[in-house]
Amino acid sequence: MIDPIVVFVLLLGAATPILFAALGELVAERAGVLNLGVEGMMIGGALAGFAVANVTGSTALGFVAAAVAGMALSLIFAALTQYLMSNQVATGLALALFGLGLTAMFGKPYEGLKAPSMMAGPLGLNLMIWLGLIMVPVTWWFLMRSRAGLILRAVGENHDAAHGLGYPVRRVRIGAIAFGGAMAGLGGAYISIATVLQWTEGMTAGAGWIALAIVVFAQWNPWGALAGAWLFGGVTVLQLRLQAAGVALPVQLLSMAPYLATIIVLVAISARQKFGRSGGGATPGSLGQPFHALR
Amino acid sequence: MTDIFRAEGLGKTYPGVRANDDISLSVGAGEIHALLGENGAGKSTLVKMIYGLVRPDEGHMQLSGQPHAPHDPRAARASGVAMVFQHFSLFDALTVAENIALGMENPPPRAELSRRIAELSQSYGLPLNPARRVVTLSAGERQRVEILRCLLQNPRLLIMDEPTSVLTPQEAEILFATLRQLAEAGTAILYISHKLEEIRTHCDRATILRHGKVVGTVDPRAHSARELAAMMVGAEMKLVDRSGRSPGEVVLDVRALSTHAAHEGVALKNIALTLRKGEILGIGGVAGNGQDELLAALSGEIASAPGTVTLSGADLSTLGPDPRRAAGLLSAPEDRLGHAAVPQFSLTENTLLTAGGRQDIVKGGLVDNTAARRFAEAVIKAFDVRTPGPGTAAGALSGGNLQKFVIGREVLGNPRVLVVNQPTWGVDAGAAASIRQALLDLAAKGAGVIVISQDLDELLELSDRFCALNNGRLSDPRPTEGLTLDEIGLMLGGAHGMEVGHVPA
C-alpha cells in the first residue's frame, strides 16, 4: 500500500528542484523580467553541480558551482535583454535551447559516473530540501517587507514611474535575473546530485517549464510557489507509486498527469480572472516589456 | 520675498530639437509660480532638469542659495525638490503606503509611516487609507497620494505638472486650498497648466514659454486669459465661432440603455438622451464614471437591447461598429494610441480603420491604396496635421497632431452623428481650438455631435445642452446657457467625499 508519510517525504524531494527554480523566476518576474530560459539554466546547474561534486567529492561545492553556472547563463540573458534590448521571450527560449545543447556537449565525459552521496540533515531530509523550504519565507519577507523588495516590485509594476522616482531599473532587473539564474542552477543540481545521482543529457526533462507555469499558478506569491511545487511534486510521486503498485492505468496517461494538472490549474486561474472577483490581477504591470530610459 | 529656486541660462538640446534655450526664472518662498506654454514649448524638459531626470547642457540652477545640479531624482529629492507628475507615477498593484514609501529617501517603519500619512492627510483635508491598493482609487484620490508623497518630504520647491486635468472643480478648489496652505508655510510652488483661468485665479506670477524660450514673466491677474493665450501661442487666439446653428429634428434617440460592467468597468444604468440635428450635447463627468462605456455603447463596441439606440428611426442597438458607421453614426474614442489609431500603422493605413467603407477605400474586399492615401492627405490638409506625410506612423505624431488626425478622419466622413470622448485631452491650446471649431462647424452643417469630456470649460464653450455622467447614470440635460461651474460640479457629484482643507492653527 501507499504510505502517506513516505509519499510526503518523496514529494518534498520531487518538489525541491521546481521550488528553487520557481522562486528564482518569481523574483525575476516581480522585477518585470520574463526569463523563459529556466530550463536552460537548470540543466546548466545540473551539469556544473554534478561535475564539481564528482571531481571534488563535495556535494556542497557542487551546489555552489551549480548556482554560479546558473547565474552565468542568466547574465547572458541579462546582457542581451537589458543592454542590447533583445526580445525577452525569444531570448529566453534561445537560452533554454542553448543550455540544453551546451550541456549535451560538455556533459559527455561525465556520463555513467556516480555522484557523491548527500549528507542527511534534520529529520532525515537533506539540507537542500531545508534550504528550499527556508527560501519561501525569506523570499516572501524580502519582497513584501524589505525596502529593496519594495523597489524591486515597483520596478516590475511600472518601470517608467520607478525610473521617474530615480530607481535604477536596469540594475535592479539584472540583480533579479542573476538571482533567478542561481536558484534555477540549484534546482537543476538537485536533480543530478540528489535525485538521479548521475548525469544524463536533457535530464531536467521539462522541470524548468513547470517552474514557469508554477509562477503564474502562484500568482507571483512565494507561498503559492510552495503550494504549486508540492502539488506537482505530489502528482509526480503519486504517478510513480501508482505505476509501481501496478494500477491498471496506461503508463503514458500517468506520466502526463503533472503536465495535465498544470494546464488545468492555469486555465482555472485565467477563468477566474476573466469571470470575476480578482480585481487588478497579480501580474506585474511591466512584465516582459523592454525598458528604454531617456536621458 | 526670498528666492527659493533660481535658474539662469538653462539650455538643453535633443537631437534635432532645441528644447530649452537660455531659460531663466526664479520662484520665491511662499509663491505659486505658474509655468505656461503649449505642448512642446519646453515645460517638461525644464522641470525634468530641476528634478534631476535630465541634465542641462548649459546654465546653472540654485536652490536656497546653494548650487543645484542633481544627477538623479533621488538627489533632487534629498535637496528638497518634490514633483507631482502629469501622468501619475504610481504603482497600481502596491498600496498607498508602499507608493508613498517609494517616494521617500528614508521611509520610517510601516506602522509609523501609516500614522504619519493619516496625520498629514487629516491636517490637509485629504483623507486617504494607507492600506488601500492604488488600483482601487479614483483619479482624485490618486493625486492625493502623489501630493502626500511630496508633502511627507517637507519640500522647499514643489513642482506640479498639470495637476487639475483629472479633477472636478470642487476637487481642484481643495487642491488650491492645500497649495495655498503650503505656500503660506514657505514652500515655493512651480505650477504647470494649460488652464488659464485657474492660473489667473490662483497663481502669483506666471512665466510663459514658447519654442523653448522665456517669453516673459507676468502677473497673471493683470492679464486676461486671451492675452495670456496670445503670449503662449505667439499670435491672437481665434475665438470659436458658435454661430450658424439651429437644432433640427431628433437624429439620435437613446432610451433605457443599460450595460453590464465588464472588466472592472462601470455599468451604464438606464441612459436616456435625445440629440437633434445641428446640436452639440456635452457630457461631463469625472473619469471612470462610464464615459468609455457610453462611447462603446454608442459606437457599437458594446451591443445593447433592441430599441435602445435609434438613429433617424433605424434601430442600431444590436449592430456592431461597422454597420453603425455605414448608417452614419461615427465615433472617436479617448485613447488615441491603441483605440482610435494603431500606433505602428501609417496614417494612410489608419484611415482604413474607420473610413474604409464610407470613403470607398475598400471595394469588393480589396484596399484601394491610392484612395486611402488621398483621404489621409485630405485629413492632413483640412486639419493642419503636422507630419512629414501620410506614410508616417501614427505613433510618431505628437498627441495633438494625432488627435487632429483622428477627429478629422471622422469629421470628413460626413457623419450624421459624431460621438467624441475627450477630444482635446493633452492637446495644446492652438490645436484644441481648431478641433473645437471643427466640431462646431460639423454641427453647423447639420450633424448631431456628442462631446464627452472632463474639461468643463470646453463643454461650456461647445455644447448647447449639458448632462453629467455619474457612476453610469446620466443626469437630465440642462441648457448650457447660464449654467455655472458650481452647479456643474454639484451635478458631477461634488467632491467625492472630500472635506475642504482647513488651515491648522
Side-chain angles (χ1 to χ4, degrees):
Chain A
M1 261 338 284
I2 298 173
D3 177 358
I5 293 174
V6 172
V7 169
F8 184 68
V9 169
L10 288 169
L11 173 158
L12 284 177
T16 297
I18 9 184
L19 179 61
F20 272 108
L23 284 176
E25 178 67 11
L26 188 146
V27 169
E29 291 193 14
R30 278 281 191 156
V33 182
L34 181 64
N35 184 354
L36 294 180
V38 182
E39 182 79 3
M41 301 185 296
M42 282 186 87
I43 194 86
L47 176 62
F50 180 82
V52 169
N54 188 269
V55 168
T56 62
S58 156
T59 52
L61 278 180
F63 280 109
V64 171
V68 171
M71 193 185 289
L73 284 169
S74 75
L75 286 175
I76 300 175
F77 174 87
L80 289 172
T81 57
Q82 302 303 305
Y83 286 102
L84 303 176
M85 297 294 157
S86 70
N87 177 295
Q88 293 184 8
V89 170
T91 312
L93 290 173
L95 179 64
L97 297 171
F98 174 72
L100 288 168
L102 191 75
T103 51
M105 182 169 78
F106 288 113
K108 282 285 169 230
Y110 298 97
E111 278 177 3
L113 300 180
K114 230 178 126 39
S117 59
M118 292 273 292
M119 266 207 306
L123 298 181
L125 300 171
N126 67 51
L127 290 174
M128 288 306 285
I129 291 181
W130 286 110
L131 180 63
L133 294 176
I134 290 166
M135 283 309 284
V136 174
V138 167
T139 309
W140 180 86
W141 183 89
F142 169 78
L143 285 174
M144 304 311 292
R145 288 290 175 265
S146 78
R147 172 85 174 158
L150 177 60
I151 293 170
L152 185 142
R153 283 187 290 139
V155 164
E157 178 61 26
N158 183 346
H159 51 217
D160 292 320
H163 173 70
L165 287 172
Y167 293 108
V169 173
R170 203 181 264 169
R171 265 189 284 151
V172 169
R173 288 196 167 159
I174 289 170
I177 293 169
F179 175 77
M183 292 288 279
L186 289 178
Y190 189 87
I191 297 177
S192 61
I193 297 176
T195 312
V196 184
L197 307 177
Q198 58 176 354
W199 163 254
T200 331
E201 198 179 309
M203 68 186 304
T204 45
W209 302 109
I210 294 286
L212 276 165
I214 282 180
V215 175
V216 182
F217 167 83
Q219 294 289 285
W220 293 271
N221 178 338
W223 293 104
L226 179 66
W230 279 6
L231 175 65
F232 298 112
V235 176
T236 311
V237 169
L238 210 57
Q239 60 105 347
L240 287 174
R241 289 270 122 177
L242 287 174
Q243 277 184 48
V247 174
L249 267 173
V251 179
Q252 290 85 347
L253 210 60
L254 286 171
S255 323
M256 260 191 265
Y259 304 95
L260 268 180
T262 313
I263 295 172
I264 291 167
V265 166
L266 292 181
V267 168
I269 284 170
S270 60
R272 196 190 66 183
Q273 274 175 355
K274 186 165 181 199
F275 300 110
R277 323 184 282 117
S278 69
T283 316
S286 296
L287 183 60
Q289 292 169 14
F291 171 70
H292 302 266
L294 268 180
R295 263 271 149 188
Chain B
M1 190 165 55
T2 51
D3 281 346
I4 297 267
F5 176 77
R6 177 180 280 282
E8 268 161 39
L10 284 183
K12 177 76 190 175
T13 307
Y14 288 114
V17 191
R18 183 78 177 144
N20 272 188
D21 189 15
D22 192 22
I23 302 256
S24 301
L25 89 162
S26 63
V27 189
E31 180 188 21
I32 303 183
H33 190 114
L35 195 56
L36 265 173
E38 292 202 286
N39 283 355
K43 294 170 303 195
S44 309
T45 306
L46 176 58
V47 295
K48 278 182 184 164
M49 290 194 289
I50 303 174
Y51 196 59
L53 276 167
V54 171
R55 249 174 275 188
D57 294 337
E58 61 259 359
H60 46 262
M61 298 179 277
Q62 279 188 354
L63 194 69
S64 306
Q66 303 293 314
H68 177 67
H71 52 86
D72 68 9
R74 298 164 81 169
R77 283 203 298 273
S79 56
V81 180
M83 178 157 165
V84 174
F85 292 86
Q86 175 184 10
H87 301 291
F88 297 131
S89 64
L90 296 179
F91 304 94
D92 280 353
L94 309 186
T95 65
V96 169
E98 286 174 332
N99 267 284
I100 289 177
L102 278 166
M104 302 174 71
E105 278 324 297
N106 294 301
R110 292 152 55 85
E112 164 74 6
L113 181 62
S114 293
R115 198 185 55 73
R116 280 183 58 193
I117 292 170
E119 200 178 279
L120 201 63
S121 67
Q122 275 311 312
S123 75
Y124 280 96
L126 305 168
L128 264 182
N129 176 356
R132 271 181 68 183
R133 292 209 308 164
V134 164
V135 72
T136 65
L137 301 181
S138 73
E141 289 171 317
R142 283 173 191 226
Q143 189 171 53
R144 279 181 234 164
V145 180
E146 294 248 12
I147 294 172
L148 281 179
R149 178 155 83 184
C150 292
L151 296 186
L152 275 164
Q153 302 168 62
N154 300 317
R156 283 184 280 187
L157 174 67
L158 176 64
I159 304 170
M160 307 211 70
D161 194 355
E162 302 205 19
T164 54
S165 51
V166 294
L167 304 184
T168 63
Q170 277 83 354
E171 285 173 329
E173 282 306 315
I174 294 172
L175 171 67
F176 279 112
T178 307
L179 291 184
R180 189 47 73 187
Q181 199 178 332
L182 267 176
E184 270 157 22
T187 311
I189 296 167
L190 191 58
Y191 188 91
I192 301 174
S193 179
H194 288 319
K195 294 190 178 177
L196 301 171
E197 281 305 334
E198 78 183 21
I199 285 175
R200 289 187 62 239
T201 325
H202 296 288
C203 296
D204 304 308
R205 281 197 297 166
T207 293
I208 296 153
L209 297 186
R210 188 168 72 227
H211 302 315
K213 293 196 173 85
V214 173
V215 179
T217 298
V218 299
D219 177 357
R221 291 168 186 135
H223 294 267
S224 71
R226 285 198 67 191
E227 288 167 345
L228 292 174
M231 281 187 255
M232 266 165 65
V233 181
E236 279 296 306
M237 289 281 291
K238 272 195 298 181
L239 274 183
V240 293
D241 177 10
R242 293 183 52 144
S243 62
R245 288 185 298 128
S246 51
E249 68 207 63
V250 171
V251 57
L252 180 72
D253 191 5
V254 176
R255 275 181 214 171
L257 172 66
S258 298
T259 63
H260 299 290
H263 299 299
E264 303 165 27
V266 175
L268 297 177
K269 296 166 194 109
N270 206 13
I271 302 262
L273 64 88
T274 56
L275 182 69
R276 294 173 182 281
K277 284 186 171 176
E279 182 189 41
I280 299 186
L281 176 67
I283 296 181
V286 178
N289 272 292
Q291 286 92 338
D292 294 345
E293 288 79 6
L294 180 58
L295 182 116
L298 293 177
S299 72
E301 281 175 67
I302 305 178
S304 50
T308 48
V309 179
T310 317
L311 183 75
S312 303
D315 184 5
L316 301 182
S317 316
T318 57
L319 300 179
D322 248 1
R324 289 197 196 192
R325 269 187 218 118
L329 175 53
L330 305 190
S331 60
E334 168 186 19
D335 181 16
R336 296 185 274 267
L337 286 172
H339 198 172
V342 180
Q344 294 84 359
F345 279 16
S346 70
L347 294 179
T348 302
E349 288 164 324
N350 268 297
T351 59
L352 289 169
L353 296 178
T354 67
R358 289 186 79 77
Q359 301 292 330
D360 281 339
I361 294 171
V362 179
K363 279 178 240 156
L366 296 177
V367 174
D368 182 346
N369 276 314
T370 322
R373 196 173 59 243
R374 217 178 295 126
F375 181 61
E377 279 164 357
V379 175
I380 290 170
K381 190 156 174 290
F383 283 82
D384 187 27
V385 180
R386 315 256 167 90
T387 167
T392 311
L397 266 62
S398 74
N401 276 310
L402 184 56
Q403 187 69 17
K404 284 196 273 189
F405 181 81
V406 165
I407 300 274
R409 182 178 68 186
E410 307 308 327
V411 168
L412 289 193
N414 282 324
R416 293 161 83 176
V417 170
L418 177 62
V419 186
V420 293
N421 188 6
Q422 297 273 57
T424 60
W425 195 84
V427 170
D428 64 63
S434 66
I435 288 171
R436 287 174 194 156
Q437 189 60 55
L439 294 174
L440 284 163
D441 292 346
L442 181 69
K445 283 193 286 180
V449 179
I450 295 181
V451 179
I452 307 173
S453 178
Q454 287 160 45
D455 184 342
L456 297 175
D457 294 327
E458 168 171 278
L459 291 176
L460 289 177
E461 188 177 349
L462 289 180
S463 51
D464 305 300
R465 289 185 299 152
F466 175 87
C467 311
L469 195 58
N470 197 351
N471 196 20
R473 286 197 175 78
L474 194 66
S475 72
D476 288 333
R478 308 235 332 232
T480 320
E481 203 85 25
L483 206 56
T484 65
L485 272 180
D486 268 351
E487 288 172 308
I488 291 179
L490 292 175
M491 286 172 80
L492 297 181
H496 290 281
M498 291 167 66
E499 359 168 338
V500 177
H502 52 272
V503 182

